[in-house]
Amino acid sequence: MTANVTGEAKSSATGGEEWRGELRKRLKTAEELSRILKLTPEELLALRRGTRVPVALTPYYASLIRGSAPDYPLRRAVIPHCGELETSPEEVCDPLGEQQHTPIPDVVHTYSDRLLLLITARCAVYCRFCTRRRLFGRGARRGIDWWPRVLAYLRNHRQIREVILSGGDPLMLNDRLLQRLLRDLRSVPHVELLRLHTRIPAVLPSRVTPALAELLREHQPLWLIHHTVHPDELTPRFAAACSLLAERGIPMGNQTVLLKGINDEPQTMLQLMNGLVRLRVKPYYLHQCDLAPGTSHFRTSVESGIRLIRRMYGRTGSLAVPLFVVDPPGGGGKVPLMPDYVISRKDGVWQLTDHEGRPRVYCEKSSTSNLPDPPGAQ
Ligand SMILES: *Cc1c(COP(=O)(O)O)cnc(C)c1O
C-alpha cells in the first residue's frame, strides 16, 4: 500500500465514528484542564514549562479524574507534574536500546522471531511515564516508501513469526488503514501471529466498535494486549469493550507498569489483576518502570516489585499473576524476575519454600521408591 501510515489520515465519512469526535474534544492546555481539576502548583509548573511527552486527555478519561485529589492514581498517570522536568543520572533517552535494533525507522527487531512496529507516535491519552518519549517532538522521518520497506524486510526475514503493532497506539489509525495494514501483514506466509498493543480501550472505549472487533477477528490469530495501570480503569465502558472483543474471539492480555503511588500496593495490584481475569483478559507483563528521562518520581525498587509478585502468589489464582520483567538499558530485551523459592539444592535434593514460607523438600532421586505398591503386587 502507498498510503501514509502515520495515523494522520483524515477519515471523514467512515460512519459510527464517535471516537473521532472525542479525539477532537481532548483537553490539552492548563486552561482546559482547569475546568475539571484545581491544578496544583507542581502540575501548573509542568504545564507551563512544557514536557517531553505531549498532554492530552479524552473527555472519557477526564470524567474519571474530574474533581479528584492531587494524589488520585488516575490523575497522576495523565496530568504532568514538575517531577517530569528532572532527569536523574541513571535515566537514558532510549531506555530499551531500541535504536540499536532498528533496521528501518520505527521498526524494532530485538528478538529474531518477533518484529515490533511503532506504527504511529500518537496516542489518545499520553501517559506521564511513557517509555517511548524519544518518539515525540521529532520531525517526520518516514517516507512514503516506509510501509513497502517494512513488508520487504518482513518477506526477507523468514524467522519472523510474529508482528507486534505498537507505537504510540495502533488503534489511533482508522479502520480502513488498519484493515490494509493487517491484510498486508497477513499476505506474508511465514507471519503466524499478529499482536496489537493498545491503551485505547482503557482511555477511549468508544473506539472499540463492533466494526473494529469484526475487523480484528478477520485477521486471527490476533492477540490484543491492553495496557491498564489501576483498577479504577476497569469501568463498565472498558468492560463492555472487553466483552465485545472476547465475544468475537479475540484473545486478550494486559501489561501494566509498576508505578509508585499508583499501583504499588498489593491490594491495588490484586484488584487490578483479578478484575482483568474476570473480564477475560490474561495479565501478562508487569514492567519495572523503565529508565526514561523524567520518570524517577514513579519508579519503585526492583526488590519491591519481586516482593509484590511473591505476595500475589497464594493470594489469588496464578492466572491473575503477571510476569515481572525489567528491561535493562542496552537493548538485550526483557529479563523476567521471579521471587526465589529455592533455599538450597544438592545432589538432586531441593530445599524449597512455598508461598507461605513453609519449608518443602523435593527429591529428584531416592534410594527407595516412595510410590505405594501397585494394586495386586505382592
Ligand atoms: C517486548 C518486546 C517484544 C515482545 O516480547 P514478548 O516477550 O513476546 O512480549 C518484541 N520486541 C521488542 C523490541 C520488545 O520490546
Side-chain angles (χ1 to χ4, degrees), residues 70-340:
D71 62 352
Y72 180 53
L74 268 48
R75 172 171 176 167
R76 295 198 48 225
V78 298
I79 303 289
H81 182 274
C82 60
E84 256 181 77
L85 306 172
E86 286 154 35
T87 303
S88 59
E90 65 278 14
E91 292 174 343
V92 283
C93 269
D94 176 18
L96 308 183
E98 292 184 327
Q99 262 146 359
Q100 300 162 44
H101 299 276
T102 293
I104 298 170
D106 301 331
V107 174
V108 190
H109 197 184
T110 301
Y111 304 99
S112 71
D113 66 322
R114 279 153 282 168
L115 194 68
L116 183 79
L117 306 181
L118 308 180
I119 216 80
T120 169
R122 300 197 316 148
C123 289
V125 168
Y126 293 95
C127 303
R128 306 327 302 166
F129 46 87
C130 178
T131 194
R132 294 230 175 82
R133 48 191 67 206
R134 69 187 153 83
L135 296 184
F136 306 117
R138 58 146 211 228
R141 295 190 294 157
R142 264 186 210 172
I144 193 91
D145 64 338
W146 183 74
W147 188 242
R149 282 175 72 197
V150 172
L151 290 175
Y153 184 86
L154 202 51
R155 290 210 178 87
N156 291 331
H157 291 78
R158 307 200 48 172
Q159 72 272 32
I160 299 171
R161 294 173 39 252
E162 182 170 6
V163 178
I164 301 164
L165 305 188
S166 182
D169 201 311
L171 289 185
M172 288 296 277
L173 307 196
N174 65 45
D175 288 0
R176 197 164 34 88
L177 198 46
L178 205 54
Q179 175 72 283
R180 291 166 71 182
L181 291 178
L182 294 173
R183 199 176 281 158
D184 285 350
L185 293 172
R186 272 279 168 243
S187 75
V188 182
H190 55 270
V191 172
E192 296 171 10
L193 271 182
L194 297 175
R195 213 202 288 179
L196 205 146
H197 285 188
T198 176
R199 186 151 159 69
I200 278 194
V203 299
L204 181 67
S206 58
R207 173 70 186 95
V208 185
T209 58
L212 176 71
E214 182 55 29
L215 186 165
L216 299 178
R217 191 195 61 77
E218 280 171 27
H219 298 285
Q220 61 183 308
L222 179 151
W223 283 68
L224 184 142
I225 309 293
H226 293 282
H227 182 170
T228 57
V229 295
H230 190 275
D232 288 0
E233 291 180 341
L234 310 189
T235 64
R237 298 275 308 273
F238 176 77
C242 289
S243 173
L244 185 58
L245 293 163
E247 301 302 329
R248 299 285 165 140
I250 313 293
M252 293 178 287
N254 173 77
Q255 48 185 340
T256 294
V257 183
L258 180 56
L259 298 163
K260 192 195 286 177
I262 293 185
N263 58 25
D264 58 338
E265 288 293 329
Q267 267 321 311
T268 309
M269 193 59 82
L270 275 168
Q271 220 186 326
L272 173 60
M273 298 304 159
N274 288 336
L276 287 164
V277 174
R278 279 200 303 275
L279 297 176
R280 293 180 270 185
V281 177
K282 165 73 183 99
Y284 136 78
Y285 277 146
L286 177 65
H287 296 272
Q288 168 71 4
C289 183
D290 290 328
L291 296 166
T295 55
S296 59
H297 55 303
F298 284 125
R299 200 164 300 113
T300 52
S301 71
V302 173
E303 185 62 40
S304 68
I306 296 174
R307 213 163 40 230
L308 184 63
I309 295 292
R310 184 172 201 119
R311 293 191 59 174
M312 292 179 80
Y313 280 114
R315 276 178 183 72
T316 186
S318 305
L319 204 54
V321 183
L323 188 63
F324 181 51
V325 287
V326 45
D327 214 332
K334 299 173 189 73
V335 179
L337 292 175
M338 287 292 289
D340 192 1

Side-chain angles (χ1 to χ4, degrees), residues 306-314 321 338-344 350-360:
I306 296 174
R307 213 163 40 230
L308 184 63
I309 295 292
R310 184 172 201 119
R311 293 191 59 174
M312 292 179 80
Y313 280 114
V321 183
M338 287 292 289
D340 192 1
Y341 296 95
V342 180
I343 299 166
S344 70
W350 293 74
Q351 303 283 349
L352 309 170
T353 52
D354 64 18
H355 69 272
E356 291 191 350
R358 292 174 298 214
R360 306 283 296 273

